[in-house]
Amino acid sequence: MSSTNSTAGTRGDDRINDDGVDNASPFNRRVIEEFRANGGQVGGPFEGASLLLLTTRGAKSGLPRTTPAVYLPDPPAAAPDPARGRLIVFASNGGSEKAPGWYHNLVKDPSVVVEVGGERYEALATPVDAGEHDELWRRQIERDPNFAEFRERAPRTIPVIALTRAGHTSG
C-alpha cells in the first residue's frame, strides 16, 4: 500500500505515504525498498538476518513510521512460518540510552503493521512479561551475538515486544 495518506495534504507534505517509508532515515529507506523488492530478503548488514518491517503510528504526528527490525520467531518451531506464532522484537536501539522511536509509538498505539517475507498484516504489539523476558534475550543472543553487546551497553532494561497477528492468540 503506497497510496498517498489523506493526512499528507493537510500537513502540506505530499511525499508522506501510508506506509511510512518517506519518514525513514535514508539508510532505513534503502533497506525497506530492498526488502519489498526482494520478498523480504536484503543484503548488507542485515544479510541472512530474520528481518521484518514494522509500521507504527507516530506518537505525536499520527503519521505512519516504518522501520526494519530483526525478529525472533516464537515459538522457535514457527521459524519457517512466522504467521504460526509471535514475532519478538527488541527495542535495543543498538544499546543506546534511549529506546527507539518505534517503541514510543507502539506504547501509545499498539496496533501495528508487520511485513515479513512477502506478507503484510496487522498485528498487536505487547511487551512480554518479566517471566519470559530473559529467556527471549537468551535465545536472541544465541541467534545473533551482537544483541549481547546491545544489552550490555544499554543503561536501561531493553523492552522486548511480542507482535501477534491481529485476531490470533499465541501461547
Side-chain angles (χ1 to χ4, degrees):
M1 295 178 17
S2 61
S3 62
T4 302
N5 184 332
S6 61
T7 60
T10 61
R11 297 183 65 87
D13 186 351
D14 294 332
R15 295 180 328 104
I16 298 171
N17 60 40
D18 69 353
D19 64 6
V21 171
D22 291 326
N23 296 314
S25 71
F27 175 81
N28 281 351
R29 190 174 308 120
R30 284 189 300 275
V31 173
I32 293 164
E33 289 168 358
E34 184 178 358
F35 182 101
R36 289 180 174 154
N38 297 305
Q41 300 298 311
V42 298
F46 293 117
E47 186 169 1
S50 297
L51 192 69
L52 60 77
L53 300 182
L54 179 65
T55 301
T56 60
R57 273 282 149 211
K60 293 179 184 174
S61 70
L63 296 173
R65 307 287 191 205
T66 300
T67 306
V70 172
Y71 73 87
L72 174 72
D74 186 58
D81 181 9
R84 288 186 38 225
R86 307 180 304 173
L87 302 181
I88 306 298
V89 291
F90 301 79
S92 67
N93 205 13
S96 173
E97 67 183 44
K98 292 185 179 180
W102 61 259
Y103 174 72
H104 298 290
N105 294 343
L106 66 78
V107 166
K108 181 163 184 186
D109 181 358
S111 296
V112 299
V113 174
V114 172
E115 293 174 65
V116 63
E119 187 178 12
R120 180 180 174 121
Y121 58 88
E122 293 180 10
L124 183 63
T126 54
V128 301
D129 64 41
E132 62 181 338
H133 187 271
D134 286 343
E135 173 59 16
L136 292 168
W137 264 108
R138 184 197 64 72
R139 286 182 35 218
Q140 180 59 21
I141 290 168
E142 189 174 278
R143 285 173 57 105
D144 184 345
N146 291 317
F147 277 75
E149 184 180 328
F150 301 158
R151 192 174 189 192
E152 213 172 272
R153 197 170 39 211
R156 60 188 170 89
T157 299
I158 297 174
V160 178
I161 307 299
L163 305 172
T164 306
R165 186 182 294 265
H168 288 79
T169 58
S170 62

